[in-house]
Amino acid sequence: MHRNRIAERTKKVSVSRRVIQILSTLGINSYIPDFQKFSIYQGPIKGLCAPGLNCYACPFARTSCPIGSLQHFIVIRQFPRYVLGYIGAVGVLFGRAFCGWLCPFGFLQELLKKLSKFRVKVSKAWGNLKYLLLAIMIPAVFFTYEPLFCKLCPAGTIEGALPIMLSPLWSDLSSLISYRFVVKILIAVLFVVLFVVIRRPFCRFVCPLGAIWGFFNKMSVFRFSIQSEDCIKCDLCQEVCPMDIRIYEDPNHYDCIRCLKCVYACPKNLIRLEALGAPVIKPGSSKERPRVSPQL
Amino acid sequence: MKIFLKVGTPVFLFLFMILLMISGLRREEHLEVEFNGNILCLSCIGIE
Protein backbone atom coordinates (compact mmCIF):
# COMPACT_ATOMS: atom_id res chain seq x y z
CA MET A 1 0.00 0.00 0.00
CA HIS A 2 2.63 2.52 1.05
CA ARG A 3 4.67 1.65 -2.06
CA ASN A 4 1.86 3.04 -4.22
CA ARG A 5 1.79 6.23 -2.18
CA ILE A 6 5.54 6.72 -2.56
CA ALA A 7 5.32 6.00 -6.30
CA GLU A 8 2.54 8.58 -6.60
CA ARG A 9 4.55 11.23 -4.77
CA THR A 10 7.75 10.63 -6.75
CA LYS A 11 6.00 10.05 -10.10
CA LYS A 12 6.53 13.54 -11.51
CA VAL A 13 10.26 13.65 -10.82
CA SER A 14 10.72 10.01 -11.89
CA VAL A 15 9.03 10.64 -15.26
CA SER A 16 11.00 13.86 -15.83
CA ARG A 17 14.25 12.09 -15.03
CA ARG A 18 13.40 9.16 -17.30
CA VAL A 19 12.62 11.50 -20.21
CA ILE A 20 15.92 13.36 -19.70
CA GLN A 21 17.84 10.07 -19.45
CA ILE A 22 16.29 8.84 -22.72
CA LEU A 23 17.03 12.12 -24.51
CA SER A 24 20.59 12.14 -23.20
CA THR A 25 21.24 8.53 -24.23
CA LEU A 26 19.79 9.09 -27.71
CA GLY A 27 21.58 12.42 -28.12
CA ILE A 28 24.99 11.05 -27.16
CA ASN A 29 24.46 7.97 -29.35
CA SER A 30 22.80 9.67 -32.31
CA TYR A 31 25.31 8.81 -35.02
CA ILE A 32 24.02 6.47 -37.72
CA PRO A 33 27.06 4.49 -38.88
CA ASP A 34 27.69 2.98 -42.28
CA PHE A 35 26.25 -0.46 -41.60
CA GLN A 36 28.71 -2.18 -43.94
CA LYS A 37 31.83 -0.81 -42.23
CA PHE A 38 30.28 0.07 -38.86
CA SER A 39 33.15 2.48 -38.37
CA ILE A 40 32.92 4.79 -35.37
CA TYR A 41 32.00 8.45 -35.61
CA GLN A 42 35.12 10.62 -35.85
CA GLY A 43 33.60 14.03 -36.42
CA PRO A 44 34.41 17.33 -34.70
CA ILE A 45 32.43 16.75 -31.49
CA LYS A 46 33.97 13.33 -30.78
CA GLY A 47 36.63 15.07 -28.71
CA LEU A 48 34.01 16.49 -26.36
CA CYS A 49 33.25 14.47 -23.25
CA ALA A 50 29.94 12.73 -22.73
CA PRO A 51 27.93 13.68 -19.62
CA GLY A 52 28.58 10.26 -18.13
CA LEU A 53 30.12 6.93 -18.96
CA ASN A 54 29.53 6.25 -22.65
CA CYS A 55 32.25 4.35 -24.49
CA TYR A 56 33.64 6.14 -27.51
CA ALA A 57 34.14 2.75 -29.16
CA CYS A 58 30.35 2.63 -29.53
CA PRO A 59 29.59 3.04 -33.25
CA PHE A 60 26.68 5.33 -32.39
CA ALA A 61 28.58 7.57 -29.96
CA ARG A 62 29.13 11.17 -30.95
CA THR A 63 31.17 12.06 -27.88
CA SER A 64 33.97 10.49 -25.89
CA CYS A 65 34.03 8.90 -22.46
CA PRO A 66 35.61 11.23 -19.85
CA ILE A 67 37.44 8.32 -18.20
CA GLY A 68 38.66 6.97 -21.55
CA SER A 69 39.89 10.43 -22.52
CA LEU A 70 41.56 10.95 -19.14
CA GLN A 71 43.49 7.70 -19.55
CA HIS A 72 44.37 8.56 -23.14
CA PHE A 73 46.00 11.84 -22.08
CA ILE A 74 47.92 10.07 -19.32
CA VAL A 75 49.16 7.55 -21.91
CA ILE A 76 50.32 10.25 -24.35
CA ARG A 77 51.85 12.25 -21.46
CA GLN A 78 49.75 15.39 -21.91
CA PHE A 79 48.17 17.14 -18.98
CA PRO A 80 44.42 16.50 -19.50
CA ARG A 81 43.31 20.10 -19.09
CA TYR A 82 40.11 19.84 -21.10
CA VAL A 83 39.00 16.59 -19.44
CA LEU A 84 39.87 17.73 -15.90
CA GLY A 85 38.28 21.13 -16.55
CA TYR A 86 35.12 19.47 -17.83
CA ILE A 87 34.87 17.00 -14.96
CA GLY A 88 35.68 19.77 -12.46
CA ALA A 89 33.20 22.29 -13.89
CA VAL A 90 30.38 19.76 -13.89
CA GLY A 91 31.34 18.58 -10.40
CA VAL A 92 31.52 22.10 -8.92
CA LEU A 93 28.13 22.98 -10.39
CA PHE A 94 26.14 19.77 -9.92
CA GLY A 95 28.20 17.22 -7.95
CA ARG A 96 27.13 13.77 -9.10
CA ALA A 97 23.86 14.92 -10.68
CA PHE A 98 24.98 13.98 -14.21
CA CYS A 99 25.16 10.33 -13.01
CA GLY A 100 21.51 10.45 -12.08
CA TRP A 101 20.10 12.48 -14.95
CA LEU A 102 22.32 12.10 -18.00
CA CYS A 103 24.65 9.07 -17.78
CA PRO A 104 23.58 6.41 -20.32
CA PHE A 105 25.28 3.61 -18.39
CA GLY A 106 23.48 4.56 -15.18
CA PHE A 107 20.23 4.63 -17.15
CA LEU A 108 20.93 1.12 -18.48
CA GLN A 109 21.49 -0.13 -14.92
CA GLU A 110 18.20 1.36 -13.75
CA LEU A 111 16.33 -0.22 -16.68
CA LEU A 112 17.83 -3.65 -16.00
CA LYS A 113 17.00 -3.37 -12.29
CA LYS A 114 13.34 -3.03 -13.29
CA LEU A 115 13.43 -6.61 -14.61
CA SER A 116 13.43 -7.99 -11.09
CA LYS A 117 11.87 -7.02 -7.78
CA PHE A 118 14.49 -9.18 -6.07
CA ARG A 119 17.00 -6.96 -4.33
CA VAL A 120 20.36 -7.85 -2.85
CA LYS A 121 21.59 -5.56 -0.08
CA VAL A 122 25.31 -4.94 -0.27
CA SER A 123 27.54 -3.62 2.49
CA LYS A 124 28.24 0.10 2.25
CA ALA A 125 31.95 -0.71 2.62
CA TRP A 126 32.00 -1.87 -1.01
CA GLY A 127 31.43 1.76 -1.96
CA ASN A 128 35.09 2.40 -1.13
CA LEU A 129 36.15 0.06 -3.92
CA LYS A 130 35.71 2.78 -6.55
CA TYR A 131 38.16 5.06 -4.75
CA LEU A 132 40.67 2.23 -4.51
CA LEU A 133 40.23 1.50 -8.22
CA LEU A 134 40.66 5.19 -9.07
CA ALA A 135 43.81 5.40 -6.92
CA ILE A 136 45.24 2.30 -8.62
CA MET A 137 44.07 3.20 -12.13
CA ILE A 138 45.87 6.52 -12.57
CA PRO A 139 49.43 5.35 -11.71
CA ALA A 140 48.82 2.02 -13.46
CA VAL A 141 47.84 3.78 -16.70
CA PHE A 142 50.83 6.11 -16.32
CA PHE A 143 53.36 3.32 -15.92
CA THR A 144 51.91 0.80 -18.39
CA TYR A 145 51.03 3.28 -21.15
CA GLU A 146 47.73 1.44 -21.54
CA PRO A 147 44.13 2.61 -20.89
CA LEU A 148 43.70 -0.25 -18.42
CA PHE A 149 40.25 0.66 -17.14
CA CYS A 150 38.86 0.65 -20.70
CA LYS A 151 40.32 -2.80 -21.24
CA LEU A 152 38.07 -4.17 -18.47
CA CYS A 153 35.15 -1.71 -18.51
CA PRO A 154 31.76 -3.41 -19.09
CA ALA A 155 30.40 -0.20 -20.67
CA GLY A 156 32.85 -0.72 -23.56
CA THR A 157 31.70 -4.30 -24.01
CA ILE A 158 28.00 -3.50 -23.88
CA GLU A 159 28.03 -0.21 -25.81
CA GLY A 160 31.02 -0.84 -28.09
CA ALA A 161 31.75 -4.53 -28.58
CA LEU A 162 28.16 -5.79 -28.74
CA PRO A 163 27.01 -3.56 -31.64
CA ILE A 164 30.24 -4.32 -33.52
CA MET A 165 29.78 -8.06 -32.94
CA LEU A 166 26.37 -7.76 -34.59
CA SER A 167 27.79 -5.91 -37.60
CA PRO A 168 29.32 -7.28 -40.84
CA LEU A 169 32.67 -5.89 -39.61
CA TRP A 170 32.80 -8.68 -37.03
CA SER A 171 33.67 -11.35 -39.60
CA ASP A 172 37.03 -9.60 -40.13
CA LEU A 173 37.60 -8.75 -36.48
CA SER A 174 36.69 -12.08 -34.92
CA SER A 175 40.02 -13.58 -35.95
CA LEU A 176 41.75 -10.94 -33.81
CA ILE A 177 40.07 -11.74 -30.50
CA SER A 178 42.27 -12.77 -27.62
CA TYR A 179 41.81 -13.97 -24.02
CA ARG A 180 41.20 -10.33 -23.05
CA PHE A 181 38.07 -10.24 -25.15
CA VAL A 182 36.77 -13.32 -23.32
CA VAL A 183 37.62 -11.68 -19.98
CA LYS A 184 35.74 -8.52 -21.03
CA ILE A 185 32.70 -10.53 -22.05
CA LEU A 186 32.73 -12.42 -18.73
CA ILE A 187 33.00 -9.17 -16.76
CA ALA A 188 30.13 -7.65 -18.75
CA VAL A 189 27.93 -10.72 -18.19
CA LEU A 190 28.69 -10.61 -14.46
CA PHE A 191 27.73 -6.94 -14.30
CA VAL A 192 24.52 -7.45 -16.28
CA VAL A 193 23.47 -10.09 -13.71
CA LEU A 194 24.39 -7.68 -10.89
CA PHE A 195 22.41 -4.87 -12.56
CA VAL A 196 19.26 -6.99 -12.25
CA VAL A 197 19.61 -7.71 -8.54
CA ILE A 198 21.53 -4.72 -7.11
CA ARG A 199 20.71 -1.04 -7.49
CA ARG A 200 23.27 0.64 -9.79
CA PRO A 201 26.20 -1.56 -8.68
CA PHE A 202 28.66 -0.16 -11.21
CA CYS A 203 27.97 3.43 -10.10
CA ARG A 204 28.20 2.56 -6.41
CA PHE A 205 31.21 0.27 -6.37
CA VAL A 206 33.29 0.74 -9.52
CA CYS A 207 32.75 3.93 -11.55
CA PRO A 208 35.84 6.20 -11.36
CA LEU A 209 33.91 9.11 -12.91
CA GLY A 210 31.26 8.84 -10.20
CA ALA A 211 34.04 8.64 -7.61
CA ILE A 212 35.52 11.93 -8.86
CA TRP A 213 32.17 13.72 -9.15
CA GLY A 214 31.20 12.35 -5.73
CA PHE A 215 34.06 14.32 -4.14
CA PHE A 216 32.36 17.50 -5.33
CA ASN A 217 29.00 16.67 -3.73
CA LYS A 218 29.89 18.41 -0.48
CA MET A 219 31.04 21.64 -2.14
CA SER A 220 28.94 21.85 -5.31
CA VAL A 221 26.67 24.80 -6.09
CA PHE A 222 23.59 22.58 -5.93
CA ARG A 223 23.39 20.75 -2.60
CA PHE A 224 20.84 19.11 -0.36
CA SER A 225 20.01 20.26 3.12
CA ILE A 226 17.88 18.46 5.69
CA GLN A 227 16.15 19.57 8.87
CA SER A 228 17.51 16.48 10.56
CA GLU A 229 16.10 17.34 14.02
CA ASP A 230 12.57 16.67 12.68
CA CYS A 231 13.52 13.48 10.82
CA ILE A 232 11.55 10.43 11.95
CA LYS A 233 14.02 8.04 10.26
CA CYS A 234 11.30 6.20 8.39
CA ASP A 235 13.86 5.24 5.70
CA LEU A 236 11.50 6.04 2.82
CA CYS A 237 14.36 8.09 1.38
CA GLN A 238 16.53 4.98 1.28
CA GLU A 239 13.74 2.89 -0.18
CA VAL A 240 13.34 5.15 -3.22
CA CYS A 241 17.06 5.94 -3.59
CA PRO A 242 18.70 4.34 -6.66
CA MET A 243 22.01 4.42 -4.75
CA ASP A 244 20.57 2.97 -1.53
CA ILE A 245 21.57 5.95 0.62
CA ARG A 246 20.07 7.13 3.90
CA ILE A 247 20.11 10.77 2.95
CA TYR A 248 19.35 11.95 6.50
CA GLU A 249 22.72 10.57 7.65
CA ASP A 250 24.58 12.73 5.14
CA PRO A 251 22.57 15.00 2.79
CA ASN A 252 25.55 15.40 0.49
CA HIS A 253 26.77 11.82 0.56
CA TYR A 254 29.53 10.99 -1.95
CA ASP A 255 27.22 8.56 -3.73
CA CYS A 256 24.18 10.86 -4.00
CA ILE A 257 23.26 11.33 -7.67
CA ARG A 258 20.73 14.11 -6.99
CA CYS A 259 17.85 12.19 -8.56
CA LEU A 260 15.51 14.15 -6.22
CA LYS A 261 13.33 11.12 -5.47
CA CYS A 262 14.02 11.38 -1.74
CA VAL A 263 13.02 15.06 -1.80
CA TYR A 264 9.53 14.09 -2.95
CA ALA A 265 9.33 10.81 -1.00
CA CYS A 266 10.05 12.38 2.40
CA PRO A 267 6.71 12.36 4.29
CA LYS A 268 7.79 15.31 6.44
CA ASN A 269 9.13 17.34 3.50
CA LEU A 270 12.44 17.88 5.26
CA ILE A 271 14.82 17.54 2.31
CA ARG A 272 15.40 20.49 0.04
CA LEU A 273 17.68 21.28 -2.87
CA GLU A 274 19.67 24.48 -2.53
CA ALA A 275 21.86 26.53 -4.83
CA LEU A 276 24.55 28.36 -2.84
CA GLY A 277 22.35 28.15 0.23
CA ALA A 278 19.15 29.43 -1.42
CA PRO A 279 16.29 26.92 -1.77
CA VAL A 280 15.62 25.74 -5.32
CA ILE A 281 13.25 22.89 -4.63
CA LYS A 282 11.45 23.17 -1.35
CA PRO A 283 8.92 20.36 -0.97
CA GLY A 284 5.68 21.09 0.77
CA SER A 285 5.57 24.65 -0.55
CA SER A 286 3.33 23.53 -3.41
CA LYS A 287 -0.42 23.34 -2.87
CA GLU A 288 -0.39 20.08 -4.82
CA ARG A 289 1.74 18.38 -2.21
CA PRO A 290 0.24 18.58 1.27
CA ARG A 291 2.23 17.09 4.12
CA VAL A 292 1.40 13.46 4.74
CA SER A 293 2.19 11.02 7.49
CA PRO A 294 4.08 7.86 6.65
CA GLN A 295 2.12 4.61 6.88
CA LEU A 296 4.68 1.88 7.32
CA MET B 1 33.08 36.01 5.75
CA LYS B 2 31.31 32.66 6.00
CA ILE B 3 28.84 33.61 3.25
CA PHE B 4 31.69 34.89 1.11
CA LEU B 5 33.48 31.54 1.43
CA LYS B 6 30.27 29.57 0.86
CA VAL B 7 29.43 31.42 -2.34
CA GLY B 8 32.88 32.48 -3.48
CA THR B 9 34.60 29.09 -3.32
CA PRO B 10 32.30 27.25 -5.77
CA VAL B 11 32.12 30.26 -8.09
CA PHE B 12 35.91 30.63 -8.14
CA LEU B 13 36.40 26.88 -8.65
CA PHE B 14 33.82 26.80 -11.44
CA LEU B 15 35.49 29.67 -13.31
CA PHE B 16 38.88 28.02 -12.83
CA MET B 17 37.58 24.73 -14.25
CA ILE B 18 35.98 26.47 -17.24
CA LEU B 19 39.27 28.24 -18.00
CA LEU B 20 41.15 24.94 -17.65
CA MET B 21 38.67 23.29 -20.00
CA ILE B 22 38.92 26.03 -22.63
CA SER B 23 42.71 26.13 -22.48
CA GLY B 24 42.78 22.37 -23.02
CA LEU B 25 40.48 22.61 -26.01
CA ARG B 26 42.74 25.15 -27.66
CA ARG B 27 46.17 23.71 -27.07
CA GLU B 28 45.95 19.98 -26.82
CA GLU B 29 44.13 19.42 -30.11
CA HIS B 30 43.06 16.10 -28.74
CA LEU B 31 40.44 15.70 -31.44
CA GLU B 32 43.20 14.80 -33.86
CA VAL B 33 45.31 12.78 -31.47
CA GLU B 34 42.52 10.95 -29.76
CA PHE B 35 40.48 9.61 -32.61
CA ASN B 36 42.78 9.32 -35.55
CA GLY B 37 41.97 5.73 -36.54
CA ASN B 38 40.04 2.99 -34.76
CA ILE B 39 42.91 1.17 -33.14
CA LEU B 40 42.49 2.59 -29.66
CA CYS B 41 38.78 1.97 -29.69
CA LEU B 42 39.11 -1.59 -30.93
CA SER B 43 41.66 -2.19 -28.23
CA CYS B 44 39.20 -0.90 -25.67
CA ILE B 45 36.49 -3.30 -26.77
CA GLY B 46 38.90 -6.16 -26.12
CA ILE B 47 40.54 -6.74 -29.50
CA GLU B 48 44.32 -6.57 -29.78
Side-chain angles (χ1 to χ4, degrees):
Chain A
M1 174 64 188
H2 84 281
R3 268 179 189 280
N4 291 340
R5 295 181 67 235
I6 300 168
E8 197 182 309
R9 289 213 299 269
T10 58
K11 189 180 173 185
K12 200 173 168 184
V13 73
S14 297
V15 170
S16 309
R17 197 165 71 92
R18 208 56 91 210
V19 169
I20 291 171
Q21 283 176 317
I22 291 168
L23 291 177
S24 169
T25 303
L26 293 179
I28 294 165
N29 298 293
S30 59
Y31 179 68
I32 308 295
D34 177 340
F35 283 96
Q36 285 303 311
K37 294 178 188 168
F38 231 69
S39 60
I40 61 162
Y41 171 71
Q42 291 178 313
I45 59 169
K46 191 74 184 227
L48 301 177
C49 288
L53 212 71
N54 192 83
C55 187
Y56 52 61
C58 175
F60 307 103
R62 281 195 183 268
T63 54
S64 63
C65 172
I67 292 300
S69 301
L70 185 67
Q71 292 174 89
H72 172 73
F73 281 113
I74 295 172
V75 168
I76 64 169
R77 298 295 192 264
Q78 273 189 26
F79 186 71
R81 284 179 295 178
Y82 166 71
V83 183
L84 287 183
Y86 167 78
I87 294 174
V90 169
V92 168
L93 208 55
F94 301 110
R96 256 192 105 165
F98 271 26
C99 303
W101 290 79
L102 299 173
C103 177
F105 203 55
F107 177 45
L108 175 75
Q109 291 173 69
E110 288 186 11
L111 288 184
L112 288 176
K113 183 69 199 75
K114 289 201 173 294
L115 294 177
S116 163
K117 296 261 184 231
F118 183 69
R119 191 171 133 204
V120 175
K121 282 259 182 187
V122 184
S123 167
K124 296 274 183 285
W126 283 97
N128 296 321
L129 181 65
K130 58 183 175 295
Y131 305 112
L132 182 68
L133 287 175
L134 181 66
I136 293 171
M137 182 190 87
I138 291 171
V141 170
F142 184 85
F143 289 115
T144 60
Y145 290 84
E146 294 272 3
L148 292 176
F149 188 80
C150 293
K151 289 179 187 294
L152 300 172
C153 178
T157 316
I158 295 167
E159 296 167 358
L162 266 181
I164 289 174
M165 283 168 77
L166 299 171
S167 77
L169 192 67
W170 186 245
S171 55
D172 298 331
L173 289 172
S174 56
S175 59
L176 301 174
I177 63 170
S178 65
Y179 76 95
R180 216 180 65 215
F181 181 79
V182 179
V183 171
K184 270 203 87 149
I185 293 285
L186 289 175
I187 290 173
V189 170
L190 172 71
F191 269 100
V192 168
V193 172
L194 293 178
F195 293 166
V196 179
V197 293
I198 302 173
R199 290 175 172 184
R200 294 183 74 137
F202 187 84
C203 309
R204 287 162 65 192
F205 313 131
V206 180
C207 184
L209 183 60
I212 300 171
W213 274 338
F215 284 125
F216 288 96
N217 265 0
K218 292 189 190 299
M219 55 185 288
S220 62
V221 170
F222 289 93
R223 268 177 283 189
F224 279 150
S225 78
I226 296 179
Q227 288 169 264
S228 50
E229 66 275 12
D230 294 333
C231 179
I232 53 171
K233 297 184 174 47
C234 62
D235 284 338
L236 288 185
C237 50
Q238 187 184 18
E239 190 167 328
V240 296
C241 179
M243 302 293 276
D244 215 17
I245 300 167
R246 283 194 187 116
I247 201 76
Y248 58 82
E249 288 178 351
D250 182 357
N252 294 296
H253 192 281
Y254 293 112
D255 280 345
C256 175
I257 55 171
R258 307 282 195 249
C259 69
L260 303 180
K261 284 177 93 172
C262 58
V263 174
Y264 290 91
C266 178
K268 304 275 276 181
N269 301 326
L270 299 176
I271 310 167
R272 69 178 187 182
L273 181 70
E274 296 178 342
L276 297 174
V280 177
I281 295 176
K282 195 178 176 184
S285 56
S286 164
K287 284 178 185 172
E288 294 168 22
R289 291 196 62 249
R291 286 177 179 237
V292 288
S293 303
Q295 288 183 350
L296 297 173
Chain B
M1 185 66 185
K2 203 176 172 184
I3 292 170
F4 178 75
L5 281 175
K6 200 174 176 180
V7 176
T9 307
V11 170
F12 170 78
L13 272 174
F14 179 70
L15 292 175
F16 173 75
M17 294 299 179
I18 291 289
L19 285 175
L20 191 68
M21 196 170 100
I22 292 168
S23 73
L25 262 181
R26 280 183 186 164
R27 291 194 185 175
E28 284 156 359
E29 293 176 341
H30 77 282
L31 297 175
E32 293 294 320
V33 182
E34 177 88 70
F35 302 106
N36 199 4
N38 292 359
I39 298 159
L40 180 66
C41 300
L42 289 179
S43 169
C44 289
I45 61 171
I47 297 170
E48 301 290 350

